[in-house]
Amino acid sequence: MHICLILAPGFPILTYVLLREVVSRANCLAGHPLFSVEIRTVTGAPVASIDGIEISPDRTDWEDPPGWDLVVICAGAQPLKRLPMGLRGFLLRAQTAGGTLAGFDSGVTVLAALGLLDGYQAVLPIDPTEDEADILARVAPSDQLFCFDRGRLTAATGLAAGDALLAWVARVHDPDVAREVSDALSLGRFRNDGDARHLPQAQDPILARMQSIMVTHLGDPRPMDQIASDLDLSPKQLRLRCRKGLGQTPTQVYLKLRLERAEQLVRDTVLSVEDVALATGFASPSSFTRSFKSRYGAPPRIMRQNA
């Protein structure tokens, strides 16, 4: 699997070291290369970390990515100062190819400035400038150590970035490898729940998987028969299982999750009603407003005015 690390001047060196160490240990434990890392910089030239340590890029262009599985932006202060013209296109091509886009610390601000976090939930940087705060206003803040949301991975810098990388390894490759790497690096208990959301508690592992699928597809809802198929059940079997385990139908659970995300976007971002409807998978702003009002007793614009 291929990882691209994009560094901006003033990047935190600990994040760089953790990514290198996680990849090195994983490859060593496996006895063969599991992950490769390529370094690029926003300037196309060597950049210095906040500690003055200079890192040179492996490539200096923004040509099409060769099937990146993870693209990480790591930035320090003034993250928007030298963004190259080709960066957004590069990230969009990586996304289209199925890659995860990640931002750590101020790298989150870069993703937001490029319009790649609108309507997403993310761990926001601490103490952004006024201009950066305006950009981040279209992002739903997460209070977790790290956050996965529909192909986006965000975290604060430091050890939280290490937790996020290990969680990504667990998701895309093998949880056992992630635990072994965590033990080898003495990082303490391996965390895979940094993006925990307030889901109905499901003791049934099948229903827990169902909820995970739904949360991953809030903006592009999957048909219920497809979700049932993903779980190796018929729609009727899933419906009965869901009623027994959660007291709701799968459709009701899915709508509740989408509306809860919509409420967060209405309260915590400046996204328009139309954008919120799109981010949570509603066919039109009017159908979204009807569903929202039915659940919360007020349309989204009134809730925002009263927030």
Side-chain angles (χ1 to χ4, degrees), residues 49-251:
S49 72
I50 192 172
D51 305 292
I53 300 172
E54 196 169 81
I55 303 295
S56 297
D58 296 313
R59 287 185 62 171
T60 60
D61 58 62
W62 298 106
E63 296 299 321
D64 288 345
W68 297 114
D69 297 286
L70 176 67
V71 179
V72 181
I73 300 178
C74 188
Q78 298 182 308
L80 309 180
K81 188 175 181 180
R82 303 184 187 178
L83 294 186
M85 292 294 293
L87 178 58
R88 187 173 190 276
F90 178 85
L91 294 171
L92 287 173
R93 292 192 295 274
Q95 171 188 280
T96 300
T100 296
L101 304 184
F104 296 153
D105 196 50
S106 294
V108 176
T109 307
V110 175
L111 290 177
L114 297 175
L116 298 174
L117 285 180
D118 286 6
Y120 285 81
Q121 190 173 36
V123 178
L124 303 186
I126 299 172
D127 296 328
T129 66
E130 187 174 336
D131 289 343
E132 291 166 1
D134 288 341
I135 291 170
L136 294 168
R138 296 177 65 83
V139 184
S142 169
D143 59 1
Q144 303 295 328
L145 289 173
F146 60 87
C147 179
F148 274 107
D149 186 9
R150 295 168 289 155
R152 302 291 187 270
L153 173 60
T154 55
T157 190
L159 294 180
D163 285 331
L165 290 167
L166 288 170
W168 178 79
V169 171
R171 283 197 174 203
V172 303
H173 181 67
D174 188 341
D176 290 336
V177 169
R179 292 188 186 93
E180 290 175 5
V181 172
S182 181
D183 291 341
L185 294 177
S186 299
L187 291 178
R189 183 180 70 84
F190 165 62
R191 304 173 185 270
N192 60 7
D193 58 352
D195 61 333
R197 295 178 173 89
H198 301 294
L199 299 177
Q201 293 300 309
Q203 301 300 321
D204 186 335
I206 295 294
L207 296 182
R209 284 176 56 202
M210 177 195 76
Q211 292 170 340
S212 179
I213 292 170
M214 290 175 174
V215 166
T216 303
H217 295 277
L218 294 179
D220 56 334
R222 291 173 74 80
M224 208 53 65
D225 57 351
Q226 181 60 57
I227 293 177
S229 177
D230 292 340
L231 300 171
D232 295 322
L233 297 173
S234 70
K236 182 178 180 180
Q237 288 172 320
L238 179 60
R239 195 160 49 248
L240 292 173
R241 198 159 185 159
C242 194
R243 278 190 176 280
K244 181 179 179 181
L246 298 175
Q248 298 175 303
T249 67
T251 299

Side-chain angles (χ1 to χ4, degrees), residues 1-64:
M1 305 191 78
H2 305 295
I3 301 171
C4 180
L5 176 60
I6 301 172
L7 301 175
F11 68 91
I13 193 65
L14 179 57
T15 302
Y16 170 81
V17 171
L18 281 171
L19 186 143
R20 283 294 200 183
E21 282 295 304
V22 166
V23 168
S24 176
R25 295 298 179 115
N27 290 344
C28 182
L29 288 168
H32 59 88
L34 294 175
F35 304 101
S36 67
V37 179
E38 181 177 284
I39 305 297
R40 301 196 187 198
T41 67
V42 296
T43 63
V47 297
S49 72
I50 192 172
D51 305 292
I53 300 172
E54 196 169 81
I55 303 295
S56 297
D58 296 313
R59 287 185 62 171
T60 60
D61 58 62
W62 298 106
E63 296 299 321
D64 288 345

Side-chain angles (χ1 to χ4, degrees), residues 197-200 210-212 214-215 218 252-262 280 295:
R197 295 178 173 89
H198 301 294
L199 299 177
M210 177 195 76
Q211 292 170 340
S212 179
M214 290 175 174
V215 166
L218 294 179
Q252 289 170 330
V253 172
Y254 210 168
L255 179 61
K256 180 173 181 286
L257 291 173
R258 290 163 59 206
L259 287 172
E260 286 176 346
R261 171 57 61 82
T280 49
R295 177 168 180 80

